[in-house]
Amino acid sequence: MSVALQSEAIDVAAEYTQLVGDRPGAAVVTFTGYVRDHSDQHAVTELELEHYPEMARKVLSDLGQLAAERFGLRNWRIVHRFGLLAVSETIVWVGAVADHRGEAISACELIMDTLKTDAPFWKREQGPAGEQWVASRDSDIARRARWQSGEAQ
Amino acid sequence: MSVALQSEAIDVAAEYTQLVGDRPGAAVVTFTGYVRDHSDQHAVTELELEHYPEMARKVLSDLGQLAAERFGLRNWRIVHRFGLLAVSETIVWVGAVADHRGEAISACELIMDTLKTDAPFWKREQGPAGEQWVASRDSDIARRARWQSGEAQ
Amino acid sequence: MASGSVSITIKLFSALREALGESEFELAISDISQASAQLDVAAIKALLSQRGAAWKEALNQPNLVHALNHKVVFTDAVVSEGDELAFFPPMTGG
Amino acid sequence: MASGSVSITIKLFSALREALGESEFELAISDISQASAQLDVAAIKALLSQRGAAWKEALNQPNLVHALNHKVVFTDAVVSEGDELAFFPPMTGG
């Protein structure tokens, strides 16, 4: 039931071990996001992640708690990186533990869909064509909206 | 893009490392199922998993391929155990790698929902009250049906 | 294969295996007329049900699943020489 | 705090921070009448827009996000002494 903001790479195996503990819940779902070597239009060689630390911590903590209440999670963890990231490096890791798989899957999906649009991080891509801020995606905004309309569950 | 049926515990960290490889796709989702210490009505001390090896391998391979085609997966892996399992041990592990998170999440959910009702495994619980075969759950049958009706995506 | 004779493998799992005390055996149907006109899963079930009350009861459970060559089928699926036909209760994977 | 005077922290992120060359500063509003009757986010935006064309343009983008004390708010949110008000483009986490 915690959040980490860090510049170091995410140790996925260590995070997993910590999340499940000695007596794991019945269903554990994890999501890991990695830096891609391309965006919609062009090649990407590096990604810079600017963030608003105090707000990011609050938004992600509130989001984990919301998911925990809504889906009855036994445990959850959100790790988000900031700073300069190379292609194929980890960006974000989310873990959810529940009694049943549907709850763990939905919690992980809710956290990721909300985090994309509501967590104060801004991506700047660097590539052969120079640097540019990444614009928010309509598809992300639409996925986020599903949770508010009650369409997703 | 492979299936493993094994009596040994699942090495989640090793499976993850193998799944993502040197240049991970952008979105990686994993599901791990563990033996619970209780079922709906009673305490459980051990779980015995009987299986039909040749059919289980075929069903799980077909299922991984179906999910890969439907959601454009870059990689997937399904590991399922059989034999005698103690409480808190791993039963099943599913990993899916895709370019976008929605595809990886949906693929993992499709695989788990289908596997529950369509993969030839039968659970027998052992507890203070004796042994008994686990009956299929209506909720599992309903979740499976969503994928055929097109309700889930 | 001899004319009019068919040999298939029968497999039983879980509660069916326990109730009937067998997990796998070869079934040789020497005279096809033993079964109904069409040798389908329903015909094999009818044939095996003649083995006694336990078989009749086990093979006529409403939620019985039949898999022919590792694929779940309805009772009208046609069975041929060398096929593997399995009977079992609903699956509980995962 | 002096009567009629309010001091708040302004933070700017991402493209706004770059365009305006500042990331964080204290804004002392010595005479509340500088702002509109109600000291809300809209009033602070109007006040900062007087700093020049770059500020006016940056703070009047249609998709500008404003967070008051780490929570996204509408422009009618009331700002008080000691508050932290941040302006930034749409977030792209994950």
Side-chain angles (χ1 to χ4, degrees):
Chain A
M1 315 251 187
S2 62
V3 167
L5 305 178
Q6 62 188 51
S7 57
E8 319 85 71
I10 301 169
D11 184 340
V12 171
E15 290 293 347
Y16 188 90
T17 302
Q18 184 75 16
L19 178 80
V20 301
D22 290 339
R23 290 181 70 78
V28 179
V29 173
T30 69
F31 176 90
T32 319
Y34 292 87
V35 179
R36 280 191 285 178
D37 61 3
H38 63 283
S39 73
D40 291 341
Q41 297 94 348
H42 47 268
V44 173
T45 53
E46 243 177 0
L47 192 68
E48 194 178 343
L49 265 166
E50 179 173 341
H51 78 312
Y52 182 178
E54 303 84 355
M55 180 171 168
R57 189 167 294 281
K58 176 178 162 45
V59 166
L60 297 180
S61 296
D62 288 353
L63 180 53
Q65 282 172 37
L66 171 77
E69 281 163 28
R70 183 152 169 187
F71 297 108
L73 301 184
R74 287 170 167 270
N75 199 7
W76 59 268
R77 168 86 163 162
I78 304 173
V79 184
H80 205 303
R81 292 184 70 190
F82 59 84
L84 209 56
L85 279 62
V87 167
S88 294
E89 280 194 48
T90 50
I91 304 178
V92 63
W93 188 85
V94 172
V97 183
D99 277 343
H100 301 103
R101 72 188 182 286
E103 297 154 355
I105 291 171
S106 292
C108 212
E109 193 174 18
L110 165 63
I111 289 172
M112 280 307 304
D113 284 352
T114 307
L115 180 158
K116 285 266 171 186
T117 56
D118 291 19
F121 292 84
W122 299 271
K123 294 192 182 106
R124 181 151 69 172
E125 294 170 347
Q126 308 191 357
E131 299 190 353
Q132 70 172 67
W133 291 101
V134 175
S136 55
R137 297 170 65 99
D138 289 345
S139 59
D140 286 338
I141 295 166
R143 284 188 69 96
R144 167 74 174 92
R146 291 185 314 153
W147 295 99
Q148 288 166 319
S149 69
E151 192 188 326
Q153 49 176 319
Chain B
M1 315 253 188
S2 63
V3 167
L5 304 177
Q6 62 188 50
S7 57
E8 318 87 70
I10 300 170
D11 184 339
V12 172
E15 290 292 348
Y16 187 90
T17 302
Q18 184 76 17
L19 179 78
V20 300
D22 289 338
R23 291 182 69 78
V28 179
V29 172
T30 69
F31 176 90
T32 320
Y34 292 87
V35 179
R36 281 192 284 180
D37 62 2
H38 63 284
S39 73
D40 291 342
Q41 297 95 349
H42 48 266
V44 172
T45 54
E46 242 176 1
L47 191 68
E48 194 177 342
L49 265 166
E50 179 173 342
H51 77 313
Y52 181 178
E54 303 85 355
M55 180 172 168
R57 188 168 295 280
K58 176 179 162 43
V59 166
L60 297 180
S61 296
D62 288 353
L63 179 53
Q65 282 172 37
L66 172 77
E69 281 163 28
R70 184 153 170 185
F71 297 109
L73 301 184
R74 286 169 167 272
N75 200 6
W76 60 269
R77 167 87 163 162
I78 304 173
V79 184
H80 205 302
R81 293 184 68 190
F82 60 85
L84 210 55
L85 278 61
V87 168
S88 294
E89 280 193 48
T90 49
I91 303 177
V92 62
W93 188 85
V94 172
V97 183
D99 276 344
H100 300 103
R101 71 188 183 286
E103 297 153 355
I105 292 170
S106 292
C108 211
E109 192 174 19
L110 165 64
I111 290 171
M112 281 307 305
D113 284 352
T114 307
L115 180 158
K116 286 265 170 185
T117 55
D118 290 19
F121 291 85
W122 298 272
K123 295 192 182 107
R124 181 150 70 171
E125 295 170 347
Q126 308 191 356
E131 300 188 351
Q132 69 171 69
W133 291 102
V134 176
S136 56
R137 298 170 64 99
D138 289 345
S139 59
D140 285 337
I141 295 165
R143 283 188 70 97
R144 168 72 174 94
R146 291 186 313 153
W147 296 100
Q148 289 167 318
S149 69
E151 192 187 327
Q153 50 179 316
Chain C
M1 138 190 172
S3 165
S5 168
V6 166
S7 176
I8 62 173
T9 302
I10 301 290
K11 290 194 174 185
L12 305 169
F13 291 94
S14 181
L16 251 83
R17 173 184 55 73
E18 282 191 331
L20 302 174
E22 298 208 52
S23 61
E24 178 176 348
F25 58 93
E26 297 299 307
L27 178 66
I29 306 158
S30 54
D31 181 0
I32 292 291
S33 66
Q34 269 188 275
S36 51
Q38 172 102 302
L39 190 61
D40 57 14
V41 172
I44 305 284
K45 279 176 66 174
L47 203 60
L48 291 173
S49 292
Q50 294 171 11
R51 294 189 164 205
W55 286 82
K56 189 168 183 177
E57 189 190 337
L59 292 176
N60 288 282
Q61 293 171 41
N63 59 6
L64 183 79
V65 182
H66 356 85
L68 183 61
N69 300 327
H70 313 140
K71 192 169 182 305
V72 171
V73 293
F74 291 108
T75 53
D76 62 356
V78 174
V79 177
S80 308
E81 169 67 25
D83 281 353
E84 180 170 308
L85 179 61
F87 297 103
F88 43 79
M91 297 165 270
T92 54
Chain D
M1 135 190 169
S3 164
S5 169
V6 165
S7 177
I8 64 173
T9 302
I10 301 290
K11 291 195 173 184
L12 305 170
F13 291 95
S14 182
L16 252 82
R17 173 184 54 72
E18 283 191 328
L20 302 175
E22 297 208 51
S23 62
E24 177 174 350
F25 58 93
E26 295 300 307
L27 178 67
I29 306 160
S30 53
D31 181 358
I32 291 292
S33 66
Q34 269 188 276
S36 52
Q38 171 103 303
L39 191 60
D40 58 14
V41 172
I44 305 285
K45 278 175 68 175
L47 203 59
L48 291 173
S49 293
Q50 295 169 8
R51 294 189 166 206
W55 287 81
K56 190 168 181 179
E57 189 191 336
L59 293 176
N60 287 282
Q61 293 171 43
N63 59 6
L64 183 79
V65 182
H66 356 86
L68 184 62
N69 300 326
H70 312 140
K71 193 169 183 303
V72 170
V73 293
F74 290 108
T75 54
D76 62 355
V78 174
V79 177
S80 309
E81 169 67 24
D83 280 356
E84 181 170 308
L85 179 60
F87 297 103
F88 44 78
M91 298 165 271
T92 53

